Amino acid sequence: MQGVIVLRGGIPWPGGLEVDVTAALCWSASYLKCAATGNDYGLVNVCVLLGLDKGTVKKARVALGAIGTLPVRCPEAEKFLLRKTISEDTARKAALLAVADIEMRAHMRADREYRRKLAAAWLSRAICAAGKDASAR
């Protein structure tokens, strides 16, 4: 498929995250897994893909994993990021939007509210990392 990126790394998502890359955008991605060790089950996994044009977000894909039985896209956060430049404040607001309505499953190592806060913090880091990576090019 020409002009489409399919991300599968780390997220067991059927078909991956498909993004049209026909526009001349600077693409940057970040994936973070919060776990005690590299071999441990993640408390939270976050994945961010940003398509930027002159520092402004034109396309965004945000997904959370290890919070339910399947990874979850976060369309409210994706919409919020559009037409914005990435800053810590923007990333924090987008992360809070992403986790606001998500149903967290129970986990033996952390309760639901702690995992919600953890997901917001790690998602904010991932958005900042993707934004910094794109601006460094």
Side-chain angles (χ1 to χ4, degrees):
M1 241 179 161
Q2 190 173 8
V4 173
I5 293 177
V6 179
L7 292 181
R8 290 189 183 92
I11 297 183
W13 195 316
L17 296 175
E18 293 188 12
V19 180
D20 183 8
V21 293
T22 54
L25 299 177
C26 177
W27 289 92
S28 180
S30 179
Y31 171 79
L32 299 173
K33 173 184 173 182
C34 177
T37 67
N39 295 331
D40 198 8
Y41 291 109
L43 290 173
V44 173
N45 303 325
V46 297
C47 184
V48 176
L49 178 65
L50 299 176
L52 293 102
D53 182 25
K54 298 176 185 163
T56 302
V57 177
K58 298 296 182 184
K59 296 213 179 216
R61 296 295 179 263
V62 177
L64 295 172
I67 58 167
T69 54
L70 293 173
V72 178
R73 287 272 301 273
C74 305
E76 292 299 320
E78 294 173 0
K79 289 177 196 170
F80 177 79
L81 289 169
L82 293 178
R83 295 178 298 285
K84 293 193 174 53
T85 57
I86 299 299
S87 67
E88 287 184 18
D89 187 50
T90 302
R92 186 174 53 253
K93 288 177 183 175
L96 290 173
L97 277 172
V99 300
D101 296 327
I102 290 183
E103 183 65 33
M104 299 277 178
R105 73 172 178 206
H107 194 280
M108 65 183 176
R109 294 191 177 119
D111 67 24
R112 288 179 172 97
E113 280 311 304
Y114 176 75
R115 290 178 71 219
R116 184 177 308 283
K117 291 176 184 175
L118 195 64
W122 281 74
L123 186 54
S124 180
R125 289 180 191 178
I127 292 168
C128 286
K132 285 179 185 173
D133 182 49
S135 64
R137 293 185 213 172

